[in-house]
Amino acid sequence: MAKQPLAFRMRPKHIDDIIGQTDLVGKGKMIQRMIEANRLSSMILFGPPGTGKTSMAMALAKSLNLRFKVLNAVIDKKKDMEIAVEEAKMSGQLVLILDEVHRLDKAKQDFLLPHLESNLITLIGCTTSNPYHSINPAIRSRVHLFELSKLEPIDVKKAITRALGDAEDGIGSMQIDITDEALDHFAQSANGDLRAALNGLELAAYSTPVNKDQIIDITLEVAEACMQKKSFSHDKNGDAHYDVLSAFQKSIRGSDVNAALHYLGRLIEAGDLESIARRMIICAYEDIGIANPQAGPRALAAVQAAERVGFPEARIPLSVAIVELCLSPKSNSAYSALDQALADIRNSDTGDIPDHLKDAHYQGAKTLGRGVDYKYPHQYESGWVKQQYLPDKIKNKRYYQPKQTSKFERALKQIYDKLKG
């Protein structure tokens, strides 16, 4: 029988062996509490690839010494689930670990539902899809939903170190000398996918010839070749990474499309879609704002498309959005105005809300003068009527200062000036 892959062999055997996901399995957290109470409930684990969904499911069953069966909603047929139910009837209970649970067809769902209700079957579904979009409501209402986070490089490095030191399930029996740079590269370039990191490490261990001292030297060059990614410059504190992110955002703000694409390329090489997405959406609202109101929704749509298709194709919608963001007119007038309003609220007494604006939907409000003199704008032909909205102490404040970098905001400025005139 062929030896199982390293990533499979290193799966946790107990909840305490799970790496990362402390918000679920840490002390006092929900899944840890289930184990301590010896009461495992049906659940769906969802999150990015390589975050350990199936591994966690198996570890939970093993922690409570429960019999479990692993099936795949795509490959395995309804007959396989019928066999699982018969096994549960004989043993009293069975944990059914169902990969690709979002692909469960109606016939399989209808068959499983009564057995979930009776608790004969404890279902642990695993999926990379958002269960609110992809899981049938009938199933979703009968399970807990737990989201697994992408592993941090420090978590991946911990798993690699464990594999290097485990002579039984890992590769600890091999004489391996791995450089710090190589270890960092495996951890960083995996982009939170522990399976990818362990697959790369296994390839490096078995494909690298021993040196004259019969030791396998895993260098940065070897790690780059096995992960099929060039090393992305990170220092110990991650400063280089944040320098690239800073340059990326400032290039968009500065309308330099070539520089922005260059730094986008660096981030793509690092596989850091999460940071790319965050910076793009922030730029669309912080730096472009109402100068191009569609920039935000279109940036978000590009990010969602990129997340849906994954790399390498994700670079295509990202590049389209970056070009638009760079070449859009820029305005920070909206959030700058809000920041000034927040500064007043935090640093001074801004006064009370005018009585005519206060809630008048209760008995006695009129007696207190609440809402009495309020003028309803829709009753006026222009749809606008002059009245005071700000508190007395700041009634003449003007937070919003329109810019004239775009046709859209120039039009807003004309309306603003007219209303304030």
Side-chain angles (χ1 to χ4, degrees):
M1 182 178 175
K3 196 172 186 180
Q4 292 168 321
L6 177 63
F8 184 90
R9 303 197 309 270
M10 291 304 299
R11 279 179 162 170
K13 297 177 176 61
H14 190 274
I15 189 173
D16 295 334
D17 299 329
I18 294 171
I19 290 176
Q21 316 305 339
T22 53
D23 55 336
L24 296 178
V25 299
K27 185 173 177 58
K29 300 302 181 181
M30 186 55 67
I31 292 181
Q32 179 69 257
R33 287 161 60 185
M34 283 186 187
I35 300 299
E36 290 174 357
N38 196 27
R39 191 174 182 83
L40 191 63
S41 301
S42 290
M43 65 184 76
I44 290 177
L45 305 175
F46 66 102
T51 47
K53 297 178 287 294
T54 307
S55 297
M56 180 184 287
M58 295 169 68
L60 297 182
K62 290 177 180 177
S63 296
L64 295 176
N65 295 315
L66 297 173
R67 293 184 67 255
F68 67 90
K69 190 178 188 72
V70 181
L71 295 178
N72 185 295
V74 179
I75 299 170
D76 293 303
K77 303 183 185 303
K78 181 185 172 185
K79 181 67 177 176
D80 298 297
M81 295 179 186
E82 291 172 350
I83 293 171
V85 168
E86 290 305 314
E87 291 178 10
K89 288 177 179 177
M90 288 188 288
S91 62
Q93 190 183 21
L94 181 76
V95 176
L96 176 60
I97 300 172
L98 197 56
D99 278 328
E100 308 291 342
V101 67
H102 65 282
R103 298 285 297 275
L104 201 62
D105 63 37
K106 189 175 186 304
K108 295 173 185 174
Q109 289 174 21
D110 291 344
F111 173 74
L112 283 177
L113 281 174
H115 304 301
L116 294 182
E117 291 279 12
S118 67
N119 207 33
L120 177 67
I121 291 286
T122 299
L123 173 68
I124 304 183
C126 305
T127 178
T128 56
S129 298
N130 185 330
Y132 292 99
H133 299 157
S134 60
I135 302 295
N136 184 291
I139 293 284
R140 201 170 64 228
S141 67
R142 291 166 171 80
V143 300
H144 297 283
L145 303 178
F146 296 118
E147 182 175 11
L148 275 67
S149 305
K150 186 173 73 172
L151 296 178
E152 295 296 326
I154 192 171
D155 298 321
V156 178
K157 193 180 293 189
K158 181 179 178 181
I160 292 171
T161 303
R162 182 183 292 179
L164 288 166
D166 189 330
E168 183 178 348
D169 295 319
I171 50 177
S173 60
M174 304 173 73
Q175 295 295 311
I176 295 174
D177 188 0
I178 184 169
T179 66
D180 290 340
E181 292 80 7
L183 186 58
D184 286 340
H185 183 63
F186 280 122
Q188 295 283 358
S189 62
N191 194 31
D193 187 335
L194 181 54
R195 187 187 303 110
L198 292 176
N199 287 344
L201 175 66
E202 185 175 31
L203 177 59
Y206 286 103
S207 66
T208 305
V210 296
N211 63 19
K212 58 183 176 60
D213 298 318
Q214 301 301 300
I215 293 174
I216 298 168
D217 285 317
I218 300 180
T219 62
L220 176 59
E221 291 72 24
V222 172
E224 287 177 338
C226 293
M227 293 299 290
Q228 289 294 291
K229 285 185 180 179
K230 281 289 185 184
S231 176
F232 182 71
S233 176
H234 285 76
D235 62 21
K236 289 184 179 178
N237 297 315
D239 290 344
H241 182 58
Y242 289 103
D243 286 344
V244 174
L245 289 172
S246 177
F248 177 54
Q249 184 166 353
K250 287 171 181 173
S251 297
I252 297 172
R253 182 183 298 141
S255 301
D256 192 325
V257 67
N258 298 303
L261 289 171
H262 169 78
Y263 294 118
L264 174 63
R266 287 199 189 192
L267 294 166
I268 287 173
E269 282 298 295
D272 193 358
L273 180 55
E274 184 177 354
S275 293
I276 294 170
R278 184 176 184 278
R279 295 290 171 136
M280 281 175 57
I281 294 170
I282 288 296
C283 279
Y285 287 98
E286 178 182 350
D287 297 311
I288 295 166
I290 55 178
N292 178 5
Q294 289 305 309
R298 282 203 285 261
L300 179 59
V303 164
Q304 291 172 334
E307 290 173 340
R308 178 68 63 88
V309 302
F311 287 128
E313 289 84 358
R315 76 191 191 284
I316 299 170
L318 295 177
S319 67
V320 172
I322 289 301
V323 170
E324 178 182 2
L325 294 178
C326 285
L327 301 181
S328 288
K330 307 296 190 291
S331 175
N332 66 351
S333 58
Y335 93 87
S336 293
L338 175 60
D339 284 350
Q340 291 179 50
L342 288 169
D344 272 356
I345 292 164
R346 292 165 181 165
N347 300 324
S348 63
D349 178 11
T350 54
D352 199 15
I353 297 169
D355 283 345
H356 62 279
L357 298 185
K358 290 181 178 178
D359 180 27
H361 294 87
Y362 59 93
Q363 191 172 4
K366 190 173 182 179
T367 305
L368 296 173
R370 305 295 193 254
V372 172
D373 297 322
Y374 174 64
K375 299 174 184 176
Y376 189 58
H378 295 292
Q379 291 180 335
Y380 296 81
E381 187 175 343
S382 65
W384 177 85
V385 60
K386 185 177 178 62
Q387 65 182 325
Q388 181 182 329
Y389 290 95
L390 279 169
D392 286 341
K393 288 188 176 182
I394 57 170
K395 66 180 182 180
N396 294 319
K397 274 279 187 178
R398 291 184 68 161
Y399 295 115
Y400 176 55
Q401 300 298 329
K403 293 194 173 183
Q404 302 197 50
T405 55
S406 72
K407 183 178 180 180
F408 184 83
E409 195 163 9
R410 285 196 296 273
L412 293 183
K413 182 180 186 301
Q414 289 180 353
I415 298 169
Y416 182 64
D417 290 342
K418 180 180 179 182
L419 294 177
K420 291 296 181 184

